[in-house]
Amino acid sequence: MLDVAIVGAGIAGLTAARSLTDQGQQVALIEKSRGLGGRLATRRLPGTHADHGVCYLKPKGKVFQRLIEEAIAAGVLIPWQPNTYASPLGITAFAKWLAQGLTLHTGERAIALSHNTHWSITTDSGLEISAKKLLLAIPAPQAIDLLKTWPDTSTEVLTQLQSVTFNPCITAIATYAPQDPIPWQGLPIINDPNLTWIALESSKQISPSHPVLVFHSTAAFAKQQFEADDLTPVGQMLLASAAQVTNLPWLSDPTLLQIHRWRYAFPTAPLNTPYLQAGSNLYLCGDWCLGDRVEAAHRSGLAVAVAIDQSSV
Ligand SMILES: Cc1cc2nc3c(=O)[nH]c(=O)nc-3n(C[C@H](O)[C@H](O)[C@H](O)COP(=O)(O)OP(=O)(O)OC[C@H]3O[C@@H](n4cnc5c(N)ncnc54)[C@H](O)[C@@H]3O)c2cc1C
């Protein structure tokens, strides 16, 4: 039997798994996607790629700064904009680097939990994993859904989880025919109802053959358009806004356009607690505990790993 089962292989789950494994614990991660990294996400496109979730890492604390320095030394990250770091291979390279040597079950959605003398996690394919301790490293609303299958969750923790809300985001990913150089790499957009951020993704690559850009919507735009049956016109609206605010008309004329919906993109207000404990050897962590960025998820994953290591079964 495992010491710890972790649901969710985003930065929080990977960080906790890395730390617990390094302490000699038997750990396995269960991840519903085929890949890993969660919102650290890279879309593969013909001849290129783009980060359509996390765009860059911007360390504030020394611990995260050190991790980034290690990733730079390993050839995974490079400096991008001032005090920001990205990967020429796509940001999932950072998640894959953290995941080296860890036991992962990808393409497995945890759908039910039960606890007797140990935890048992059932996935949608019928896989059953047993562990002495369980960590849910997933957004709070998804944790609530999963915890509905285990009736003994403390009501205090459920109330805390229910207080966490997320804003959605719609991301457009577009490739273009070769253009004149663009004088920026990342462009925050202020006061536009539709757009909040544009990234020249190809500027992270070593020798890009053509421009690749990613456009992030405002939360208000995402809320309005989230349930649209056809996302192509939604993406075209983002490109039209981008063409207007940048004065680059060619931005509305891509060679390829893909759109991604993030239902749980950014926590609106963190809990300000590093992790939660919801009962008998059951823990929760994620960005929503401490902030809305990768560094917050990393800090939460580290803190919960210490707590799990110190708890007796
Ligand atoms: C569009 C966008 C842009 C962003 N840009 C930046 C940025 O530039 N810099 C920055 O620092 N932060 C950015 N962020 C925020 C950052 O992505 C998050 O703060 C961080 O990645 C959260 O990590 P996490 O591990 O807490 O959660 P997640 O990354 O959400 O990981 C949770 C994982 O759990 C999995 N999962 C959920 N439910 C189940 C289940 N039932 N069974 C199995 N697996 C499950 C999910 O598939 C996912 O892999 C951005 C976010 C978005 C959406």
Side-chain angles (χ1 to χ4, degrees):
M1 178 179 336
L2 293 169
D3 293 315
V4 190
I6 302 179
V7 178
I11 181 83
L14 288 171
T15 301
R18 172 88 280 140
S19 172
L20 289 162
T21 302
D22 290 349
Q23 290 155 21
Q25 307 228 21
Q26 296 294 317
V27 180
L29 287 143
I30 302 159
E31 168 56 51
K32 69 179 164 69
S33 305
R34 275 182 296 124
L36 49 88
R39 282 169 274 166
L40 284 162
T42 304
R43 181 70 57 92
R44 302 287 150 197
L45 303 161
T48 187
H49 59 263
D51 296 330
H52 60 293
V54 173
C55 180
Y56 57 78
L57 306 176
K58 186 169 187 165
K60 290 191 178 137
K62 289 210 163 43
V63 174
F64 196 52
Q65 174 77 48
R66 229 179 1 255
L67 181 70
I68 285 177
E69 280 162 14
E70 280 173 39
I72 292 171
V76 173
L77 294 177
I78 52 165
W80 188 50
Q81 293 190 286
N83 193 33
T84 70
Y85 302 87
S87 176
L89 308 168
I91 198 70
T92 46
F94 181 63
K96 288 179 190 156
W97 173 73
L98 283 175
Q100 278 171 11
L102 299 178
T103 304
L104 275 146
H105 300 280
T106 54
E108 299 282 353
R109 178 192 292 268
I111 54 165
L113 308 176
S114 61
H115 182 259
N116 195 345
T117 52
H118 58 267
W119 282 100
S120 185
I121 304 103
T122 309
T123 72
D124 52 357
S125 78
L127 180 72
E128 204 158 306
I129 290 178
S130 300
K132 293 174 195 158
K133 300 174 190 178
L134 172 61
L135 170 60
L136 304 183
I138 61 183
Q142 292 175 315
I144 293 173
D145 285 346
L146 197 49
L147 288 169
K148 282 182 187 150
T149 65
W150 184 58
D152 295 341
T153 312
S154 96
T155 44
E156 192 194 329
V157 166
L158 272 180
T159 308
Q160 280 178 292
L161 289 173
Q162 278 154 356
S163 74
V164 178
T165 53
F166 276 73
N167 273 332
C169 178
I170 294 177
T171 299
I173 307 145
T175 63
Y176 295 90
Q179 304 290 336
D180 290 337
I182 300 175
W184 40 263
Q185 296 174 300
L187 198 63
I189 311 294
I190 318 287
N191 290 335
D192 185 84
N194 299 349
L195 262 189
T196 180
W197 167 255
I198 308 175
L200 179 60
E201 285 293 313
S202 37
S203 69
K204 299 172 181 172
Q205 299 170 12
I206 306 298
S207 40
S209 54
H210 53 274
V212 184
L213 286 97
V214 161
F215 307 84
H216 291 171
S217 79
T218 58
F221 180 88
K223 282 177 191 167
Q224 259 170 22
Q225 304 294 340
F226 205 81
E227 303 302 338
D229 290 332
D230 183 4
L231 280 178
T232 305
V234 176
Q236 281 160 344
M237 282 164 77
L238 291 177
L239 300 198
S241 297
Q244 199 179 14
V245 295
T246 59
N247 220 4
L248 296 171
W250 57 266
L251 285 180
S252 54
D253 189 22
T255 49
L256 179 147
L257 173 62
Q258 296 188 1
I259 297 102
H260 187 86
R261 276 183 270 230
W262 296 100
R263 187 178 296 280
Y264 305 115
F266 298 101
T268 51
L271 279 181
N272 286 323
T273 183
Y275 63 90
L276 291 179
Q277 185 164 3
S280 189
N281 288 308
L282 170 60
Y283 299 81
L284 298 106
C285 71
D287 60 347
W288 48 272
C289 288
L290 287 173
D292 63 356
R293 298 279 141 180
V294 171
E295 185 166 6
H298 178 251
R299 280 173 55 215
S300 179
L302 281 180
V304 81
V306 172
I308 291 172
D309 184 49
Q310 287 176 354
S311 72
S312 54
V313 180

